[in-house]
Amino acid sequence: EPEVTQTPSHQVTQMGQEVILRCVPISNHLYFYWYRQILGQKVEFLVSFYNNEISEKSEIFDDQFSVERPDGSNFTLKIRSTKLEDSAMYFCASSEPPRADTQYFGPGTRLTVL
Amino acid sequence: DAKTTQPTSMDCAEGRAANLPCNHSTISGNEYVYWYRQIHSQGPQYIIHGLKNNETNEMASLIITEDRKSSTLILPHATLRDTAVYYCIVSPSHNTDKLIFGTGTRLQVFP
């Protein structure tokens, strides 16, 4: 069964460093998402992406964050200058037309900012 | 903010049916009810969704009341692997964007 994959599974970085989290969505899906979950807290929406542009973003998704679909398979989340409070699990998700609201999630990347 | 209310936790014996309630009294006519679950910090997993009719798939059944203000997710024969946090989410059918997760119900299946 097709699944969303994410790499790396765990990323440790120093505060102020840039990180890129990578996702490979399910191949025929056209809608892509990033969510995050701080330890012990709710899953929070960050951004959605469709047709090579952001369709919606949350207040969390400030200028430090960016997303890109550099080729036909990868979908990346970049954090330009990490902060301690960026430590969280980051989940990528994808969905297919016409039902964009049934989203399939990857296993997550645990980001630890020291 | 999440527009649903769920109990914080529930227990269920293995092999028995798990019935997870959800209140969504402010649901709009175009909003679907979705259920996802999250097993121990893994990515959320889609379970089932419905508009007003009851739905069943290989994972679960979804019972929606006639006034659509509440629903129940039923796992007919719970196993230990069903131990997870279960999220009830309402979302417009045309929505291409965010799922808003609440705190969900932590279901513990015991032997």
Side-chain angles (χ1 to χ4, degrees):
Chain A
E1 185 174 323
E3 58 184 20
V4 176
T5 59
Q6 292 185 241
T7 55
S9 57
H10 192 187
Q11 174 88 50
V12 181
T13 190
Q14 295 291 325
M15 188 170 57
Q17 295 296 303
E18 175 183 286
V19 295
I20 297 176
L21 309 183
R22 302 181 192 280
C23 168
V24 179
I26 295 173
S27 62
N28 63 331
H29 287 190
L30 298 180
Y31 305 100
F32 313 113
Y33 314 83
W34 284 101
Y35 293 79
R36 80 171 187 189
Q37 186 175 32
I38 295 170
L39 186 63
Q41 298 187 22
K42 299 177 188 179
V43 177
E44 301 173 287
F45 168 78
L46 292 178
V47 66
S48 58
F49 191 87
Y50 170 68
N51 201 25
N52 280 322
E53 62 182 24
I54 291 173
S55 50
E56 185 174 355
K57 59 183 181 180
S58 71
E59 293 178 352
I60 303 167
F61 195 88
D62 61 21
D63 292 343
Q64 294 298 314
F65 291 87
S66 62
V67 289
E68 192 178 32
R69 187 159 164 80
D71 52 42
S73 59
N74 290 285
F75 180 52
T76 62
L77 174 69
K78 181 191 291 186
I79 309 175
R80 265 180 270 282
S81 178
T82 51
K83 303 188 283 280
L84 296 176
E85 53 265 37
D86 293 328
S87 294
M89 282 289 286
Y90 287 81
F91 296 109
C92 173
S94 69
S95 61
E96 62 176 327
R99 298 263 11 169
D101 38 8
T102 301
Q103 297 179 17
Y104 294 87
F105 286 75
T109 292
R110 180 172 298 283
L111 177 65
T112 301
V113 182
L114 303 176
Chain B
D1 288 336
K3 297 191 290 184
T4 62
T5 304
Q6 299 178 251
T8 303
S9 64
M10 295 183 65
D11 291 339
C12 179
E14 189 177 21
R16 303 298 294 271
N19 297 285
L20 292 92
C22 179
N23 286 320
H24 31 79
S25 58
T26 61
I27 192 169
S28 301
N30 67 339
E31 288 183 317
Y32 281 64
V33 180
Y34 283 80
W35 284 83
Y36 283 77
R37 73 180 182 183
Q38 188 176 25
I39 299 173
H40 189 56
S41 295
Q42 296 178 21
Q45 178 188 25
Y46 165 79
I47 301 173
I48 198 168
H49 73 279
L51 182 62
K52 54 183 178 182
N53 296 322
N54 298 336
E55 302 287 344
T56 295
N57 64 19
E58 64 279 4
M59 290 183 68
S61 295
L62 174 60
I63 309 297
I64 303 174
T65 58
E66 193 168 340
D67 63 7
R68 303 209 323 121
K69 293 186 177 181
S70 66
S71 60
T72 300
L73 178 75
I74 300 172
L75 307 178
H77 305 287
T79 71
L80 298 178
R81 289 175 294 180
D82 292 321
T83 293
V85 178
Y86 288 76
Y87 301 100
C88 170
I89 300 170
V90 296
S91 177
S93 62
H94 61 275
N95 186 27
T96 61
D97 297 318
K98 58 182 179 287
L99 292 171
I100 300 175
F101 288 83
T103 53
T105 296
R106 181 171 298 277
L107 175 68
Q108 179 70 53
V109 181
F110 58 90

mmCIF file of all heavy atoms in Angstrom, chain A residues 80-108:
data_model
loop_
_atom_site.group_PDB
_atom_site.id
_atom_site.type_symbol
_atom_site.label_atom_id
_atom_site.label_comp_id
_atom_site.label_asym_id
_atom_site.label_seq_id
_atom_site.Cartn_x
_atom_site.Cartn_y
_atom_site.Cartn_z
ATOM 1 N N ARG A 80 14.638 28.265 8.575
ATOM 2 C CA ARG A 80 15.876 29.010 8.263
ATOM 3 C C ARG A 80 16.793 29.174 9.469
ATOM 4 O O ARG A 80 17.987 28.984 9.375
ATOM 5 C CB ARG A 80 15.521 30.385 7.711
ATOM 6 C CG ARG A 80 15.492 30.440 6.203
ATOM 7 C CD ARG A 80 15.133 31.830 5.727
ATOM 8 N NE ARG A 80 13.703 31.997 5.575
ATOM 9 C CZ ARG A 80 13.017 31.536 4.528
ATOM 10 N NH1 ARG A 80 13.607 30.890 3.568
ATOM 11 N NH2 ARG A 80 11.729 31.718 4.450
ATOM 12 N N SER A 81 16.253 29.525 10.590
ATOM 13 C CA SER A 81 17.058 29.775 11.778
ATOM 14 C C SER A 81 16.304 29.195 12.965
ATOM 15 O O SER A 81 15.397 29.828 13.519
ATOM 16 C CB SER A 81 17.284 31.271 11.968
ATOM 17 O OG SER A 81 18.029 31.527 13.140
ATOM 18 N N THR A 82 16.654 27.966 13.310
ATOM 19 C CA THR A 82 15.852 27.244 14.288
ATOM 20 C C THR A 82 15.928 27.866 15.672
ATOM 21 O O THR A 82 16.963 28.416 16.089
ATOM 22 C CB THR A 82 16.298 25.776 14.360
ATOM 23 O OG1 THR A 82 17.727 25.725 14.536
ATOM 24 C CG2 THR A 82 15.910 25.028 13.102
ATOM 25 N N LYS A 83 14.813 27.742 16.386
ATOM 26 C CA LYS A 83 14.714 28.193 17.765
ATOM 27 C C LYS A 83 14.432 26.978 18.647
ATOM 28 O O LYS A 83 13.982 25.935 18.168
ATOM 29 C CB LYS A 83 13.599 29.214 17.905
ATOM 30 C CG LYS A 83 13.742 30.426 16.998
ATOM 31 C CD LYS A 83 12.717 31.491 17.317
ATOM 32 C CE LYS A 83 11.360 31.153 16.792
ATOM 33 N NZ LYS A 83 11.247 31.455 15.343
ATOM 34 N N LEU A 84 14.681 27.137 19.931
ATOM 35 C CA LEU A 84 14.421 26.026 20.857
ATOM 36 C C LEU A 84 12.980 25.546 20.749
ATOM 37 O O LEU A 84 12.710 24.345 20.795
ATOM 38 C CB LEU A 84 14.725 26.439 22.296
ATOM 39 C CG LEU A 84 16.177 26.782 22.617
ATOM 40 C CD1 LEU A 84 16.308 27.261 24.064
ATOM 41 C CD2 LEU A 84 17.089 25.585 22.384
ATOM 42 N N GLU A 85 12.074 26.507 20.577
ATOM 43 C CA GLU A 85 10.644 26.162 20.547
ATOM 44 C C GLU A 85 10.205 25.485 19.251
ATOM 45 O O GLU A 85 9.047 25.103 19.119
ATOM 46 C CB GLU A 85 9.781 27.401 20.809
ATOM 47 C CG GLU A 85 10.077 28.577 19.920
ATOM 48 C CD GLU A 85 11.048 29.566 20.543
ATOM 49 O OE1 GLU A 85 11.999 29.127 21.239
ATOM 50 O OE2 GLU A 85 10.865 30.785 20.339
ATOM 51 N N ASP A 86 11.123 25.333 18.308
ATOM 52 C CA ASP A 86 10.813 24.577 17.092
ATOM 53 C C ASP A 86 10.951 23.076 17.304
ATOM 54 O O ASP A 86 10.595 22.286 16.416
ATOM 55 C CB ASP A 86 11.728 25.009 15.941
ATOM 56 C CG ASP A 86 11.480 26.435 15.487
ATOM 57 O OD1 ASP A 86 10.320 26.898 15.567
ATOM 58 O OD2 ASP A 86 12.452 27.097 15.076
ATOM 59 N N SER A 87 11.467 22.685 18.450
ATOM 60 C CA SER A 87 11.587 21.252 18.761
ATOM 61 C C SER A 87 10.203 20.626 18.793
ATOM 62 O O SER A 87 9.322 21.066 19.539
ATOM 63 C CB SER A 87 12.279 21.057 20.107
ATOM 64 O OG SER A 87 13.613 21.499 20.063
ATOM 65 N N ALA A 88 10.001 19.616 17.955
ATOM 66 C CA ALA A 88 8.680 19.002 17.806
ATOM 67 C C ALA A 88 8.789 17.845 16.834
ATOM 68 O O ALA A 88 9.812 17.642 16.181
ATOM 69 C CB ALA A 88 7.661 20.019 17.268
ATOM 70 N N MET A 89 7.691 17.083 16.724
ATOM 71 C CA MET A 89 7.528 16.128 15.630
ATOM 72 C C MET A 89 6.896 16.875 14.466
ATOM 73 O O MET A 89 5.904 17.595 14.660
ATOM 74 C CB MET A 89 6.621 14.970 16.046
ATOM 75 C CG MET A 89 7.268 13.927 16.901
ATOM 76 S SD MET A 89 8.470 12.915 16.014
ATOM 77 C CE MET A 89 7.383 11.890 15.039
ATOM 78 N N TYR A 90 7.441 16.711 13.303
ATOM 79 C CA TYR A 90 6.895 17.339 12.109
ATOM 80 C C TYR A 90 6.342 16.253 11.194
ATOM 81 O O TYR A 90 7.061 15.327 10.809
ATOM 82 C CB TYR A 90 7.968 18.155 11.392
ATOM 83 C CG TYR A 90 8.306 19.428 12.139
ATOM 84 C CD1 TYR A 90 9.180 19.402 13.226
ATOM 85 C CD2 TYR A 90 7.737 20.646 11.784
ATOM 86 C CE1 TYR A 90 9.465 20.561 13.941
ATOM 87 C CE2 TYR A 90 8.022 21.809 12.489
ATOM 88 C CZ TYR A 90 8.883 21.749 13.566
ATOM 89 O OH TYR A 90 9.165 22.900 14.268
ATOM 90 N N PHE A 91 5.070 16.380 10.878
ATOM 91 C CA PHE A 91 4.401 15.391 10.045
ATOM 92 C C PHE A 91 4.066 15.995 8.681
ATOM 93 O O PHE A 91 3.506 17.078 8.600
ATOM 94 C CB PHE A 91 3.098 14.923 10.696
ATOM 95 C CG PHE A 91 3.274 14.195 11.998
ATOM 96 C CD1 PHE A 91 2.896 14.795 13.184
ATOM 97 C CD2 PHE A 91 3.802 12.921 12.034
ATOM 98 C CE1 PHE A 91 3.045 14.137 14.397
ATOM 99 C CE2 PHE A 91 3.960 12.247 13.239
ATOM 100 C CZ PHE A 91 3.591 12.864 14.420
ATOM 101 N N CYS A 92 4.383 15.239 7.666
ATOM 102 C CA CYS A 92 3.970 15.566 6.317
ATOM 103 C C CYS A 92 2.713 14.762 6.008
ATOM 104 O O CYS A 92 2.545 13.633 6.503
ATOM 105 C CB CYS A 92 5.089 15.198 5.347
ATOM 106 S SG CYS A 92 4.691 15.348 3.608
ATOM 107 N N ALA A 93 1.822 15.316 5.203
ATOM 108 C CA ALA A 93 0.626 14.594 4.778
ATOM 109 C C ALA A 93 0.326 14.920 3.331
ATOM 110 O O ALA A 93 0.760 15.959 2.812
ATOM 111 C CB ALA A 93 -0.575 14.954 5.667
ATOM 112 N N SER A 94 -0.404 14.032 2.685
ATOM 113 C CA SER A 94 -0.830 14.306 1.321
ATOM 114 C C SER A 94 -2.239 13.777 1.114
ATOM 115 O O SER A 94 -2.718 12.920 1.870
ATOM 116 C CB SER A 94 0.146 13.695 0.309
ATOM 117 O OG SER A 94 0.093 12.275 0.311
ATOM 118 N N SER A 95 -2.895 14.301 0.110
ATOM 119 C CA SER A 95 -4.235 13.823 -0.235
ATOM 120 C C SER A 95 -4.435 13.981 -1.738
ATOM 121 O O SER A 95 -3.699 14.698 -2.415
ATOM 122 C CB SER A 95 -5.313 14.579 0.555
ATOM 123 O OG SER A 95 -5.268 15.949 0.263
ATOM 124 N N GLU A 96 -5.449 13.273 -2.227
ATOM 125 C CA GLU A 96 -5.651 13.244 -3.664
ATOM 126 C C GLU A 96 -6.984 13.882 -4.017
ATOM 127 O O GLU A 96 -7.917 13.869 -3.225
ATOM 128 C CB GLU A 96 -5.619 11.799 -4.168
ATOM 129 C CG GLU A 96 -6.722 10.909 -3.600
ATOM 130 C CD GLU A 96 -6.712 9.518 -4.208
ATOM 131 O OE1 GLU A 96 -6.370 9.384 -5.385
ATOM 132 O OE2 GLU A 96 -7.063 8.577 -3.481
ATOM 133 N N PRO A 97 -7.076 14.415 -5.216
ATOM 134 C CA PRO A 97 -8.370 14.914 -5.668
ATOM 135 C C PRO A 97 -9.329 13.754 -5.899
ATOM 136 O O PRO A 97 -8.898 12.650 -6.208
ATOM 137 C CB PRO A 97 -8.021 15.630 -6.979
ATOM 138 C CG PRO A 97 -6.747 14.997 -7.428
ATOM 139 C CD PRO A 97 -6.021 14.582 -6.193
ATOM 140 N N PRO A 98 -10.638 13.932 -5.815
ATOM 141 C CA PRO A 98 -11.275 15.179 -5.406
ATOM 142 C C PRO A 98 -11.388 15.350 -3.903
ATOM 143 O O PRO A 98 -11.750 16.417 -3.419
ATOM 144 C CB PRO A 98 -12.667 15.051 -6.018
ATOM 145 C CG PRO A 98 -12.940 13.571 -5.966
ATOM 146 C CD PRO A 98 -11.613 12.906 -6.192
ATOM 147 N N ARG A 99 -11.079 14.289 -3.094
ATOM 148 C CA ARG A 99 -11.281 14.372 -1.657
ATOM 149 C C ARG A 99 -9.992 14.820 -0.999
ATOM 150 O O ARG A 99 -9.218 14.011 -0.510
ATOM 151 C CB ARG A 99 -11.721 13.015 -1.122
ATOM 152 C CG ARG A 99 -13.028 12.600 -1.714
ATOM 153 C CD ARG A 99 -14.171 12.865 -0.914
ATOM 154 N NE ARG A 99 -14.018 13.696 0.230
ATOM 155 C CZ ARG A 99 -15.062 14.135 0.865
ATOM 156 N NH1 ARG A 99 -16.257 13.818 0.427
ATOM 157 N NH2 ARG A 99 -14.907 14.885 1.920
ATOM 158 N N ALA A 100 -9.763 16.114 -0.999
ATOM 159 C CA ALA A 100 -8.513 16.624 -0.434
ATOM 160 C C ALA A 100 -8.488 16.541 1.072
ATOM 161 O O ALA A 100 -7.439 16.695 1.677
ATOM 162 C CB ALA A 100 -8.301 18.064 -0.870
ATOM 163 N N ASP A 101 -9.623 16.313 1.702
ATOM 164 C CA ASP A 101 -9.641 16.361 3.158
ATOM 165 C C ASP A 101 -9.449 14.996 3.806
ATOM 166 O O ASP A 101 -9.508 14.893 5.023
ATOM 167 C CB ASP A 101 -10.912 17.028 3.668
ATOM 168 C CG ASP A 101 -12.126 16.656 2.853
ATOM 169 O OD1 ASP A 101 -12.019 15.767 1.999
ATOM 170 O OD2 ASP A 101 -13.170 17.270 3.086
ATOM 171 N N THR A 102 -9.198 13.944 3.046
ATOM 172 C CA THR A 102 -8.771 12.680 3.621
ATOM 173 C C THR A 102 -7.264 12.622 3.457
ATOM 174 O O THR A 102 -6.764 12.367 2.370
ATOM 175 C CB THR A 102 -9.440 11.492 2.909
ATOM 176 O OG1 THR A 102 -10.861 11.634 3.022
ATOM 177 C CG2 THR A 102 -9.003 10.181 3.530
ATOM 178 N N GLN A 103 -6.583 12.927 4.531
ATOM 179 C CA GLN A 103 -5.141 13.122 4.450
ATOM 180 C C GLN A 103 -4.399 11.903 4.994
ATOM 181 O O GLN A 103 -4.784 11.324 6.002
ATOM 182 C CB GLN A 103 -4.761 14.381 5.236
ATOM 183 C CG GLN A 103 -5.393 15.633 4.633
ATOM 184 C CD GLN A 103 -5.061 16.894 5.376
ATOM 185 O OE1 GLN A 103 -4.133 16.954 6.168
ATOM 186 N NE2 GLN A 103 -5.826 17.953 5.117
ATOM 187 N N TYR A 104 -3.305 11.580 4.318
ATOM 188 C CA TYR A 104 -2.472 10.452 4.701
ATOM 189 C C TYR A 104 -1.151 10.994 5.222
ATOM 190 O O TYR A 104 -0.465 11.737 4.517
ATOM 191 C CB TYR A 104 -2.275 9.515 3.507
ATOM 192 C CG TYR A 104 -3.575 8.874 3.094
ATOM 193 C CD1 TYR A 104 -4.422 9.525 2.204
ATOM 194 C CD2 TYR A 104 -3.978 7.653 3.624
ATOM 195 C CE1 TYR A 104 -5.640 8.961 1.850
ATOM 196 C CE2 TYR A 104 -5.200 7.090 3.264
ATOM 197 C CZ TYR A 104 -6.021 7.752 2.385
ATOM 198 O OH TYR A 104 -7.233 7.206 2.039
ATOM 199 N N PHE A 105 -0.822 10.609 6.433
ATOM 200 C CA PHE A 105 0.313 11.182 7.140
ATOM 201 C C PHE A 105 1.530 10.273 7.075
ATOM 202 O O PHE A 105 1.414 9.046 7.075
ATOM 203 C CB PHE A 105 -0.040 11.407 8.613
ATOM 204 C CG PHE A 105 -0.958 12.571 8.851
ATOM 205 C CD1 PHE A 105 -2.305 12.495 8.558
ATOM 206 C CD2 PHE A 105 -0.458 13.754 9.375
ATOM 207 C CE1 PHE A 105 -3.155 13.582 8.774
ATOM 208 C CE2 PHE A 105 -1.295 14.838 9.607
ATOM 209 C CZ PHE A 105 -2.640 14.755 9.305
ATOM 210 N N GLY A 106 2.699 10.909 7.074
ATOM 211 C CA GLY A 106 3.943 10.181 7.210
ATOM 212 C C GLY A 106 4.250 9.889 8.665
ATOM 213 O O GLY A 106 3.511 10.321 9.558
ATOM 214 N N PRO A 107 5.350 9.186 8.905
ATOM 215 C CA PRO A 107 5.705 8.784 10.270
ATOM 216 C C PRO A 107 6.291 9.906 11.110
ATOM 217 O O PRO A 107 6.419 9.771 12.323
ATOM 218 C CB PRO A 107 6.738 7.681 10.049
ATOM 219 C CG PRO A 107 7.353 8.016 8.736
ATOM 220 C CD PRO A 107 6.271 8.621 7.911
ATOM 221 N N GLY A 108 6.658 11.002 10.459
ATOM 222 C CA GLY A 108 7.164 12.137 11.207
ATOM 223 C C GLY A 108 8.676 12.222 11.269
ATOM 224 O O GLY A 108 9.387 11.226 11.122
#
